[in-house]
Amino acid sequence: MSMKVVTPGARQIADGVWWTELPPHEVRMFAQNGSSQGEMSVIILSSFDYDAGRSTMTFKLADAKALNVGTTEATILISGKAEPFEAAGAENPKSSSGTRAPGDLEFLSLVKTQCQGLQKVAEALLDGVRSRSAGELKRGKSRNFSETPDNFWYVIVQTRIEELSITVRGPVAHFDGLTRLEVKDDRGNTRFKVRSLRDVNDALKLIFHAKRKR
C-alpha cells in the first residue's frame, strides 16, 4: 500500500493548479529524474483528493512526480488528470521534464535580482500560465516581456513599486467584472496590476479570458 501524503494550507490558484508548502527534502521523495533549479518546487499529481474547506491536498506517494525540486518550501501542485486541462481548453501543458524556456527563465531571473518581493508571485503566475498554455516570454525594451508565439498577454516588471503590470488582449468591457482586480484601458487592450500571491488566481482568469488568435 502506497503511503499517503497530506499537505495543509493548499490553495487553488488556477484550474488544476494549487499552491502549498513542502520542504525540499520531502519533495525529493517524489523526484525520479526531476530537475533542481530555482526556489520553487513543482509536483504533478495523477490522482489526488483536494478538500477546499480544509485547504488540504491528499495523495499517494505513488501518484506524485516532482518535476522540479526547489530550494524553499514554496510548491506548485499540478493536476495530471486529463479532465481538468481539457475542460479548461488547455493546450500543451509544461513539459514533464520540468524545464523552462530561456525567455521564461530570463523573466524570473529579472524578478529575482531586481524585485525579490515579487519572486514567488512571478513563479506562481508563470507556472499557472504554463500549466495550461505552452509558449515562451520574450524580452523587449527595458523590463517588458511578451508572450510568444501569440502575444495575448504581456508583463512589465515594475521594480520601483514592486508590481507586475499585465496587459491582456481585448477591450476593458470584455474583462469588466470578471475578477476583483481593477482593469484599465491600455490603447484598446486591458491592463491590471499584480502585487501579491492573492492576486495570482484572478490574474490567471483574466489572462485566459484574453482574446486569442485563431
Side-chain angles (χ1 to χ4, degrees):
M1 181 179 293
S2 180
M3 182 181 74
K4 281 192 174 183
V5 178
V6 180
T7 66
R11 181 167 58 87
Q12 188 165 16
I13 60 174
D15 292 335
V17 184
W18 292 263
W19 170 276
T20 190
E21 292 187 347
L22 284 172
H25 73 272
E26 291 187 13
V27 177
R28 289 192 186 93
M29 292 191 302
F30 320 124
Q32 296 174 4
N33 293 313
S35 65
S36 182
Q37 59 182 3
E39 297 189 358
M40 179 175 292
S41 296
V42 180
I43 299 173
I44 190 166
L45 303 174
S46 59
S47 182
F48 57 86
D49 180 22
Y50 176 59
D51 188 329
R54 296 182 178 179
S55 297
T56 58
M57 179 70 80
T58 304
F59 55 90
K60 294 180 180 178
L61 187 63
D63 294 330
K65 179 181 178 181
L67 305 183
N68 186 63
V69 181
T71 58
T72 70
E73 293 188 354
T75 304
I76 290 290
L77 304 174
I78 301 176
S79 171
K81 297 179 181 179
E83 294 82 6
F85 291 116
E86 292 175 357
E91 48 191 66
N92 301 325
K94 191 170 70 171
S95 166
S96 61
S97 67
T99 59
R100 295 186 189 274
D104 289 359
L105 287 172
E106 186 175 6
F107 165 68
L108 294 176
S109 177
L110 175 68
V111 174
K112 181 178 180 179
T113 57
Q114 298 190 26
C115 205
Q116 289 188 354
L118 286 177
Q119 184 173 352
K120 290 185 178 180
V121 178
E123 290 175 339
L125 177 73
L126 193 56
D127 281 330
V129 171
R130 291 291 169 255
S131 72
R132 293 175 56 184
S133 180
E136 180 180 359
L137 290 176
K138 180 180 179 180
R139 188 167 185 175
K141 295 180 179 180
S142 187
R143 295 177 293 275
N144 298 17
F145 292 82
S146 58
E147 177 75 359
T148 60
D150 179 10
N151 186 22
F152 64 98
W153 74 287
Y154 73 83
V155 56
I156 303 173
V157 183
Q158 298 185 311
T159 57
R160 185 177 60 82
I161 54 178
E162 291 208 344
E163 292 180 348
L164 297 178
S165 176
I166 297 175
T167 296
V168 286
R169 184 188 293 141
V172 170
H174 181 66
F175 302 93
D176 197 27
L178 184 65
T179 72
R180 62 178 180 79
L181 297 181
E182 182 182 10
V183 294
K184 296 182 178 181
D185 176 71
D186 186 2
R187 294 170 293 180
N189 291 310
T190 300
R191 185 178 72 252
F192 60 92
K193 305 287 188 179
V194 173
R195 301 179 176 90
S196 70
L197 285 171
R198 295 190 301 273
D199 298 333
V200 170
N201 192 33
D202 284 337
L204 291 170
K205 288 180 181 178
L206 291 167
I207 288 171
F208 284 104
H209 194 61
K211 293 183 177 293
R212 306 289 292 271
K213 290 181 179 178
R214 299 298 180 186

